[in-house]
Amino acid sequence: MKAVVTVTGTDKKGVIARVSGYLFGRDINILDVSQTILGDQFAMMMIADIPDTTDFSLLQDEICELGQSFGMQIRLQHADIFDAMHNV
Amino acid sequence: MFTKSQVLETIDMVEKEHFDIRTVTLGLSLLSCVRATAEETARAVYDRVTHAAARLVPTAEGLSRRYGIPIVNRRVSVTPVSLITAAFPEKSGLVADALDRAARELGIDFLGGYSALVHKGTADYEEKFLRTIPEALARTERLCASVNVGSTRSGINIDAVRLMGELIKETAERTAAQSGIGCCKLVAFCNAVEDNPFMAGAFHGVGEADTVVNVGVSGPGVVLHALKGAPEANLTQAAEIIKRTAFKITRAGQLVAKEAAEILGARFGIVDLSLAPTPARGDSVAHILEELGLESVGGHGTTAALAMLNDAVKKGGVMASSHVGGLSGAFIPVSEDIGMIEAAERGKIGIDKLEAMTCVCSVGLDMIAIPGDTPASTVSAMIADEAAIGMINGKTTAVRVIPVPGKGVGDSVEFGGLLGRAPILPVHEGDAGKFISRGGLIPAPIHSFKN
């Protein structure tokens, strides 16, 4: 399934490296990446292809903890919610 | 697909603007639970609810995680209990206990449907059932009761209205130690809807399928935020902004409702997009009206602003879901809306203006604390007025007032949690006892004859 990873917080080095490294370690393919920096605020969205065999809740907990470990907020959500809300 | 800014907009809605799925409500028919005795019926009801709703809480939690949208409440609505206990109405309390026990064991915060539909007349078994309501609400924790006393098609059953005034007073007295909190779980309706997912008025209509998922979506804070972004918009543009916002949040509800129905093996019923405020700051319908340009909710212009808001919310919601239902619009409870609470404390809003607002909002006089010594006939007269507004205008209206024992104007009451707090609002002193005690049925209006 397609999921969206969002990362927000104060800009710092190595954000993309850590997040993509984590996803690589879980055998998750990244389909798209988009990032902006406004002042010192970092915002990134990744679309990831998550295998159906993956425990989604566990992945959410792990990636959230990863974010906390370097002071960023990371969320993982099923992509359908954004399609539903923003497309007719 | 979607853009990064749309993703971040959704996240902000949840994290900064209090957007949530307010309730996933599982509607259950209890018609198959009727047995020869009250005891057997209560047992069958308990089994039915605990079996059918066993996976409701984990399902809602799973969907909440999956989509990153909080699902605040998981609830159950059931067939009006008066129909289930028609053969032994005095023992309806046994079913009340069974439902409350089921709700507690399943982790459901409220279960609605301790109800009767008496809009055209009160059968003997229904009157006996109605008289069990105060005790049932006093001794249960999570049970909600509602009574439909009128409809556009049938008129207003003033005998039932009179009885409801007495039952509300009795419920307040029986729960006096908690400031009459039982009345927060008791609603009198006109034109009650059969698929409403919101409490305290939810019940599962007899025309519904066996097991149905109805979802209530909320988001006053999201609408407020959207309007704050366009302070110079004229009212046509403001209505468009509200519609677009309502569309987005209803779509989230539709997604959750369809998935929940599939997982639970139930039919997808409706999405009810109702701006349901909470006492939290930033989650207020009153503040939306003030953002539109009113110095204070309750002043002149409030009814027009609310009419526009309510209509725009409906239009956005209808476009977004295959089945919109329930009440869909804006709720205007007093104790559950920080903007309303503060306006009432400042003396800026009273019952007369609230009554006017109910002509254009989606429900009625809601969560209003009134003096504990208000006569039952005055409570009945308030219900009659609201029912008349609903009957003539072909809309749902409701009354959920709390005559707080031992308190009067100048005092305030704290119910806690989502039920909030409220100053005691004055009611008119003119006696309506003679009018109410006439009894009978106010005939249906001429425009109800459409066949």
Side-chain angles (χ1 to χ4, degrees):
Chain A
M1 71 170 180
K2 280 186 189 159
V4 175
V5 181
T6 49
V7 186
T8 52
T10 309
D11 187 31
K12 51 180 66 76
K13 290 175 191 164
V15 177
I16 293 180
R18 286 182 208 235
V19 177
S20 54
Y22 168 81
L23 294 175
F24 176 67
R26 297 291 176 282
D27 195 28
I28 291 167
N29 192 25
I30 297 168
L31 305 175
D32 193 11
V33 184
S34 156
Q35 153 203 331
T36 24
I37 296 168
L38 254 178
D40 64 347
Q41 286 303 302
F42 176 94
M44 179 179 76
M45 174 184 87
M46 276 180 178
I47 298 177
D49 190 9
I50 298 184
D52 290 339
T53 51
T54 305
D55 182 337
F56 193 70
S57 294
L58 181 66
L59 201 66
Q60 279 180 317
D61 291 340
E62 282 184 0
I63 205 162
C64 180
E65 277 171 31
L66 172 72
Q68 285 165 357
S69 73
F70 64 103
M72 302 297 281
Q73 238 194 319
I74 308 185
R75 309 156 200 81
L76 176 69
Q77 291 160 268
H78 196 294
D80 282 357
I81 188 73
F82 304 108
D83 256 335
M85 289 180 73
H86 297 285
N87 293 313
V88 177
Chain B
M1 276 306 278
F2 41 82
T3 65
K4 184 166 87 275
S5 65
Q6 288 171 329
V7 169
L8 294 174
E9 179 190 346
T10 302
I11 288 169
D12 277 351
M13 282 181 182
V14 172
E15 295 182 358
K16 297 179 184 165
E17 299 156 22
H18 301 280
F19 170 47
D20 55 53
I21 307 288
R22 186 55 52 86
T23 178
V24 173
T25 302
L26 187 66
L28 300 176
S29 171
L30 297 184
L31 293 172
S32 62
C33 300
V34 179
R35 301 288 187 274
T37 67
E39 289 76 9
E40 287 174 280
T41 301
R43 210 170 302 126
V45 163
Y46 172 82
D47 290 344
R48 163 81 170 125
V49 174
T50 50
H51 182 259
R55 287 183 299 141
L56 176 60
V57 171
T59 297
E61 282 169 0
L63 290 172
S64 180
R65 285 197 68 134
R66 183 176 171 88
Y67 295 120
I69 309 277
I71 298 175
V72 181
N73 298 305
R74 283 76 55 156
R75 293 168 171 173
V76 167
S77 63
V78 297
T79 308
V81 169
S82 73
L83 302 174
I84 309 303
T85 61
F88 28 77
E90 294 96 338
K91 289 189 170 181
S92 298
L94 292 175
V95 174
D97 294 340
L99 290 168
D100 195 52
R101 188 157 60 92
R104 272 185 280 120
E105 288 175 11
L106 292 168
I108 291 164
D109 65 336
F110 285 121
L111 186 151
Y114 200 72
S115 306
L117 310 176
V118 292
H119 39 279
K120 197 165 182 189
T122 315
D124 185 49
Y125 73 86
E126 285 169 327
E127 179 162 344
K128 287 174 179 158
F129 167 81
L130 292 174
R131 292 188 186 282
T132 69
I133 289 177
E135 194 195 337
L137 292 181
R139 73 168 192 234
T140 57
E141 187 190 345
R142 305 182 184 204
L143 190 67
C144 293
S146 57
V147 180
N148 195 50
V149 298
S151 77
T152 300
R153 295 302 296 259
S154 65
I156 303 171
N157 178 353
I158 292 295
D159 294 316
V161 168
R162 179 173 57 186
L163 182 55
M164 277 304 292
E166 294 166 11
L167 297 179
I168 288 169
K169 288 283 292 183
E170 189 186 336
T171 303
E173 292 300 332
R174 282 179 182 267
T175 53
Q178 296 163 279
S179 306
I181 201 168
C183 296
C184 300
K185 298 181 281 179
L186 176 56
V187 192
F189 273 119
C190 178
N191 291 325
V193 293
E194 301 196 328
D195 52 12
N196 164 25
F198 286 99
M199 298 295 170
F203 64 90
H204 186 71
V206 290
E208 297 281 322
D210 198 47
T211 308
V212 176
V213 168
N214 297 318
V215 163
V217 189
S218 187
V222 183
V223 173
L224 178 66
H225 177 81
L227 288 172
K228 277 181 185 293
E232 302 304 325
N234 68 30
L235 293 175
T236 309
Q237 293 162 334
E240 277 303 307
I241 291 168
I242 296 166
K243 266 165 62 181
R244 292 161 72 98
T245 309
F247 173 85
K248 290 176 191 172
I249 58 185
T250 307
R251 292 280 282 195
Q254 161 101 358
L255 181 66
V256 167
K258 287 188 85 163
E259 287 221 16
E262 199 176 315
I263 295 168
L264 293 168
R267 183 174 290 197
F268 161 50
I270 55 95
V271 177
D272 181 334
L273 171 62
S274 282
L275 299 185
T278 69
R281 203 159 286 283
D283 205 20
S284 159
V285 168
H287 286 162
I288 296 174
L289 303 179
E290 290 170 0
E291 180 61 31
L292 286 168
L294 304 172
E295 183 187 338
S296 173
V297 66
H300 296 297
T302 301
T303 310
L306 180 59
M308 189 271 270
L309 172 66
N310 200 60
D311 184 65
V313 165
K314 283 182 195 295
K315 286 172 178 164
V318 165
M319 172 74 181
S321 173
S322 52
H323 300 288
V324 169
L327 301 162
S328 286
F331 291 169
I332 53 165
V334 174
S335 76
E336 297 172 340
D337 183 319
I338 187 66
M340 286 286 198
I341 294 166
E342 289 174 351
E345 287 171 343
R346 295 194 307 268
K348 298 288 186 186
I349 191 162
I351 282 184
D352 290 345
K353 191 62 180 177
L354 285 162
E355 184 181 309
M357 292 164 75
T358 67
C359 299
V360 299
C361 78
S362 63
V363 203
L365 293 177
D366 195 16
M367 291 301 289
I368 299 172
I370 59 175
D373 61 2
T374 305
S377 59
T378 300
V379 176
S380 294
M382 293 169 79
I383 296 170
D385 283 345
E386 273 304 300
I389 289 169
M391 176 181 76
I392 295 295
N393 293 300
K395 71 181 286 291
T396 303
T397 48
V399 173
R400 184 165 53 149
V401 293
I402 306 100
V404 185
K407 297 219 170 179
V409 175
D411 296 328
S412 67
V413 60
E414 176 89 44
F415 297 116
L418 285 177
L419 299 173
R421 70 174 206 273
I424 311 291
L425 290 182
V427 298
H428 291 287
E429 289 179 357
D431 181 24
K434 174 74 191 298
F435 175 70
I436 294 299
S437 65
R438 282 175 182 267
L441 182 78
I442 293 182
I446 185 69
H447 58 260
S448 71
F449 299 102
K450 290 181 174 170
N451 285 342

